[in-house]
Amino acid sequence: MTSANVVKVTERDGALLIEMDNPPVNALGIALRRGLMAAFERLARESALKGAVLTGTGRFFSAGADISEFGKTRENPLLPELIAFLEDLGKPVVAAINGQALGGGLELALGCHYRIAAPAARMGLPEVKLGLLPGAGGTQRLPRLIGVERALAMIVTGEPIDAAEAKTLGLVDDVAEGDLIGAAFRLLEGAVARGVRPPRTRDREEKLAAARADSGLIDRIAEPLLKRQRGLPAPRACVEAVRAAVTLPFEEGLKREVELFAQLVNSPESKAQRHIFFAEREAAKLPDMPADVRPREVNKAVVIGAGTMGGGIAMSFANFGIPVWIIDQDHESLDRGLARIRENYQITVSRGSLAADEMEKRLARIHGTTDWSVLAEGDVVIEAVFEELDLKQRIFRMIDEKARPGALLATNTSTLDVNKIAAATSRPEDVLGMHFFSPANVMRLLEIVRASKTSFDAIATAIAIGRRIGKVPAVVGVCDGFVGNRMLHRRTAQAERLLLEGALPQDVDQAVVAFGFPMGPFAMGDLAGLDVGWRIRKARGTKAPISDALCEAGRFGQKTGAGYYRYEKGSRTPIPDPEVERIIIETSKRLGITRRPISAEEITERMIYPMINEGARILEERIAMRASDIDVIWVYGYGWPVWRGGPMYYADQVGLGQIEARLKHYAETLNDETLRPAALLSRLAAEGKGFSSLPVQPIAI
Ligand code: CAA
């Protein structure tokens, strides 16, 4: 791509219109930076030109630096130089912010002398989400425009603001209803007519005064913001950079920002977060999908089953403006389900995260019924009933009878064979799994399960629906537990074994939390309820001795005030319980296991490495297309710390040789065949390669 292709420059009444045209998001890669520099240089050179309007084509002003260039040698001009040149031009440049202005895109706008936004524009500095900070002057210029308090909030959380708020804060001079470019040229004309030197953001000091007068202010504002960011380096560096804006002259502040950026861009955390950024976008791309496949149109959804899962799925549709019917077989379950939905919304309203009228709008999109004829209304039908194959097959026969031709038919099963469910219909090409994660209205992962006869356009439709309702879709193949739960199962088995061998629930949970998960497996078990797994085990004739013993003692987790921990009334804080210790020790004894002290290191390895091993088997069997898809599933569905990049990425950082050696060691010392390294893991380890070296593969069908 040449710079002439990505920057369009036209002359209008003695001024330039400079349009960034680098689809899909106007990322500021080298071609765009060169093109902009050439346009700014022309503006400086040609005395007849009085100024310029800078805008973007499409939905974006610019989504910022080209993330794929990070970590490589970047070519000049770099963005900070480009912005410095622009700011010092001596002729006015108006940023006409037509859509999203993010990261370096917003920093470019901050270097302009005036800013005017379309009503739908959004502005933000999301670098922190990639483990970075705004490295093109954003930490120095934004506080000068909107004050330290709001700038810190935007930079440390990475959350964007809309045009109306940007106007209130002084980030933009105006919001243009209607013709943005026309309004931007009028603003430019006014500035030229006034004949003043174009104002530079760097010179504006007045909004820094409060923080300069009160040396504790920054830390007081930063403290609650940092608390939510779990000690990661980027948010802390963001605060330091803003502090530099307050305490140092502009040029020195810029230098400090560059130094901090350089540290972050090479940090393992940021590399992992950038890996996840691209992995998330890859996870829904099928190497064998023909390029001309288009998703079907979806305007209405039907969810079958008003339980916790069905309710959460219905809320996900309603939250994004899609009307949804919930069918349940009896009025009582339906009413209970609808009441729970209302309660859930009400909790969000009472926390201040949702306006009451918005709640009513969302509720108005959810309709409950016991009448199966509404199946004919759905462009997508999602079944979310009990995990029983017979029951699901019966329901799919009914769906087949009543759903309209071309409707997407999805099951939310987490364990059953989607092929067998699809076989109950006369249209298996329309059937797939849409596996949501609890709570379905909150968790972002959506495993889309491709069965052997699922058509490409059905998959494309499920992906499009997932994106529309704010989920992160990852396409996987059929097997027990699919990708996420199949790997989780390995961790659960080791967690239970560790208890039998000598650890206590709090030891295991602490190790997992120290690794970076929000919660350990036992606290998680108590939250989800231990009785569910117990019932499944009883039906399948399998055992988990400690969990079974707890359930037999009526300890089902938080809902009964006791599980692996005890809970005070009304509290969700797990408290270690001597009674649990007694049950565990007694169970070990009964099974003839001699307990031993177990190190935190062993616990961590046994919580993580067996999952990686299962991930390798999943890749061998072509249940997943890429190692990075597995990373996405763990980050978005199970709280894997994003700054560790997902299990397969993490494995590559540790080194597959090391992981193989530890798995072999545990397989032998614990006499546990499930821990034998997978053939793929051993092969890659022998070749000195990582999972990232594997090519993308189609899912086995
Ligand atoms: N650099 C490189 N590629 C980018 C990109 C960026 N900044 N932003 C998006 N893309 C790519 C995506 O990888 C995707 O590529 P494929 O189609 O090949 O998968 C394509 O653009 C479209 O992106 P999305 O699928 O994400 O489209 P969307 O409409 O759902 O979301 C978005 C658009 C909100 C901009 C989202 O892509 C996003 O959040 N991008 C990152 C924004 C960001 O973090 N900017 C800061 C960059 S760092 C920086 O600017 C540092 C600095 O200070 C100099």
Side-chain angles (χ1 to χ4, degrees):
M1 192 60 75
T2 66
S3 34
N5 288 338
V6 295
V7 179
K8 276 199 271 179
V9 183
T10 37
E11 220 178 302
R12 232 197 232 196
D13 304 329
L16 295 182
L17 173 63
I18 306 171
E19 291 174 280
M20 297 181 275
D21 185 18
N22 186 23
V25 298
N26 288 333
L28 286 152
I30 180 60
L32 186 48
R33 296 200 301 275
R34 280 202 187 121
L36 287 174
M37 195 56 146
F40 297 153
E41 279 168 351
R42 178 176 163 201
L43 188 58
R45 201 173 51 237
E46 293 184 18
S47 52
L49 292 171
K50 51 193 176 199
V53 167
L54 172 64
T55 192
T57 54
R59 290 188 296 129
F60 290 88
F61 179 77
S62 162
D66 184 337
I67 300 165
S68 63
E69 284 185 358
F70 292 149
K72 300 179 189 150
T73 338
R74 286 194 288 155
E75 290 177 67
N76 291 326
L78 297 179
L79 200 51
E81 294 160 26
L82 181 73
I83 294 172
F85 185 85
L86 157 70
E87 195 175 43
D88 279 339
L89 254 174
K91 291 182 184 177
V93 179
V94 178
I97 305 175
N98 54 304
Q100 302 206 50
L102 302 174
L106 180 58
E107 291 174 293
L108 183 63
L110 294 176
C112 292
H113 309 100
Y114 303 95
R115 282 155 295 279
I116 181 164
R122 289 179 76 75
M123 284 148 264
L125 294 172
E127 286 87 343
V128 72
K129 296 184 180 179
L130 298 169
L132 297 170
L133 55 71
T139 64
Q140 307 303 299
R141 290 191 181 88
L142 189 64
R144 284 176 158 81
L145 274 188
I146 68 171
V148 166
E149 182 163 2
R150 290 313 313 262
L152 269 174
M154 281 180 72
I155 295 170
V156 176
T157 66
E159 290 304 320
I161 59 172
D162 61 22
E165 195 176 353
K167 168 96 193 283
T168 312
L169 295 178
L171 176 48
V172 296
D173 302 288
D174 212 350
V175 176
E177 307 286 339
D179 175 16
L180 174 70
I181 302 301
F185 272 101
R186 281 194 294 281
L187 186 65
L188 181 68
E189 288 298 336
V192 171
R194 281 197 303 281
V196 292
R197 186 183 158 79
R200 302 186 308 178
T201 306
R202 57 176 289 170
D203 299 327
R204 300 187 43 179
E205 302 276 303
E206 67 279 5
K207 290 208 175 160
L208 299 178
R212 283 187 172 149
D214 174 359
S215 60
L217 184 69
I218 291 189
D219 288 321
R220 287 200 305 279
I221 299 167
E223 198 213 45
L225 298 169
L226 289 177
K227 223 185 219 161
R228 278 177 253 146
Q229 305 262 8
R230 316 181 94 237
L232 286 174
R236 271 185 281 123
C238 288
V239 175
E240 288 323 303
V242 172
R243 195 191 306 280
V246 173
T247 56
L248 300 176
F250 181 77
E251 289 294 342
E252 281 177 45
L254 274 186
K255 266 193 215 140
R256 183 78 187 118
E257 181 193 83
V258 168
E259 266 165 34
L260 290 164
F261 183 86
Q263 287 166 16
L264 292 175
V265 81
N266 291 315
S267 68
E269 290 88 353
S270 176
K271 286 180 185 159
Q273 282 168 270
R274 272 138 52 198
H275 162 73
I276 288 297
F277 175 84
F278 288 114
E280 176 186 333
R281 285 151 181 85
E282 289 301 297
K285 291 180 190 161
L286 280 72
D288 49 341
M289 175 147 3
D292 59 354
V293 172
R294 294 284 167 270
R296 305 173 191 171
E297 196 175 319
V298 171
N299 298 312
K300 257 190 216 165
V302 175
V303 174
I304 303 174
T308 314
M309 222 43 206
I313 296 170
M315 287 170 78
S316 301
F317 280 96
N319 293 350
F320 288 86
I322 303 172
V324 53
W325 286 93
I326 306 185
I327 308 181
D328 208 298
Q329 58 186 359
D330 65 272
H331 284 286
E332 213 177 284
S333 321
L334 186 64
D335 290 346
R336 221 182 308 125
L338 293 173
R340 192 170 32 225
I341 290 175
R342 180 172 277 277
E343 255 166 56
N344 283 340
Y345 277 131
Q346 236 138 19
I347 292 172
T348 320
V349 170
S350 66
R351 281 203 205 116
S353 338
L354 183 71
D357 63 334
E358 180 56 27
M359 166 177 102
E360 292 305 333
K361 276 189 206 152
R362 293 180 185 190
L363 281 168
R365 293 185 193 117
I366 302 177
H367 314 276
T369 181
T370 54
D371 175 4
W372 293 82
S373 67
V374 301
L375 273 172
E377 303 273 319
D379 302 311
V380 52
V381 177
I382 302 179
E383 163 278 311
V385 304
F386 289 123
E387 283 289 275
E388 275 174 29
L389 184 61
D390 279 357
L391 174 66
K392 290 198 191 256
Q393 285 178 325
R394 237 182 309 131
I395 287 187
F396 269 81
R397 274 193 284 276
M398 182 124 69
I399 297 174
D400 193 23
E401 239 172 66
K402 300 197 187 321
R404 69 163 187 73
L408 180 70
L409 312 181
T411 168
N412 178 50
T413 183
S414 52
T415 49
L416 300 172
D417 185 339
V418 181
N419 285 316
K420 290 189 180 150
I421 296 172
T425 72
S426 63
R427 35 177 148 165
E429 65 282 4
D430 291 336
V431 181
L432 45 65
M434 283 176 84
H435 184 205
F436 290 79
F437 288 72
S438 194
N441 52 315
V442 177
M443 296 302 288
R444 296 201 53 209
L445 176 64
L446 177 64
E447 271 184 338
I448 295 176
V449 187
R450 173 181 185 180
S452 53
K453 294 193 177 149
T454 313
S455 69
F456 282 119
D457 66 314
I459 298 171
T461 308
I463 293 170
I465 293 173
R467 294 233 164 98
R468 224 171 118 192
I469 62 174
K471 304 293 177 200
V472 176
V475 182
V476 301
V478 175
C479 69
D480 187 10
F482 313 121
V483 171
N485 283 349
R486 176 168 158 180
M487 288 166 70
L488 180 67
H489 185 65
R490 294 292 175 203
R491 187 177 90 171
T492 312
Q494 288 303 311
E496 173 95 5
R497 272 202 71 161
L498 283 164
L499 296 190
L500 289 171
E501 290 168 23
L504 293 175
Q506 53 272 31
D507 304 328
V508 177
D509 282 355
Q510 264 160 25
V512 170
V513 170
F515 185 82
F517 280 90
M519 221 186 238
F522 295 115
M524 185 60 139
D526 277 359
L527 176 67
L530 305 180
D531 51 324
V532 185
W534 184 45
R535 292 216 175 91
I536 294 176
R537 285 194 298 279
K538 280 204 286 196
R540 290 184 171 185
T542 55
K543 283 196 182 327
I546 291 167
S547 189
D548 293 347
L550 292 174
C551 288
E552 273 149 30
R555 304 180 68 114
F556 291 171
Q558 284 190 18
K559 58 179 141 184
T560 58
Y564 285 104
Y565 298 91
R566 66 181 183 82
Y567 298 84
E568 310 257 281
K569 218 175 166 45
S571 158
R572 289 174 174 273
T573 310
I575 305 169
D577 189 347
E579 175 59 13
V580 173
E581 190 170 341
R582 194 190 60 73
I583 294 176
I584 292 173
I585 292 173
E586 207 175 85
T587 312
S588 300
K589 203 169 181 186
R590 180 164 55 80
L591 297 175
I593 298 167
T594 312
R595 294 177 67 78
R596 63 180 168 96
I598 302 181
S599 70
E601 189 189 4
E602 174 173 345
I603 295 176
T604 310
E605 287 181 347
R606 287 176 62 189
M607 288 293 87
I608 306 293
Y609 293 0
M611 292 201 317
I612 293 167
N613 202 27
E614 198 60 32
R617 293 193 189 106
I618 283 169
L619 287 169
E620 271 168 7
E621 293 169 26
R622 291 204 280 128
I623 298 295
M625 299 179 285
R626 319 167 178 80
S628 63
D629 296 355
I630 300 178
D631 293 332
V632 169
I633 287 171
W634 271 82
V635 166
Y636 287 105
Y638 299 85
W640 179 286
V642 62
W643 52 272
R644 284 197 196 265
M648 311 316 271
Y649 177 87
Y650 174 74
D652 282 359
Q653 311 313 304
V654 174
L656 299 192
Q658 161 79 3
I659 290 179
E660 190 205 21
R662 297 308 289 157
L663 282 167
K664 267 189 191 151
H665 164 77
Y666 289 125
E668 277 151 27
T669 54
L670 303 169
N671 196 19
D672 182 344
E673 278 311 303
T674 65
L675 297 177
R676 280 269 163 240
L680 176 67
L681 177 59
S682 296
R683 173 170 71 76
L684 291 172
E687 291 170 359
K689 291 184 180 160
F691 290 117
S692 65
S693 69
L694 295 171
V696 54
Q697 55 185 1
I699 287 166
I701 45 170

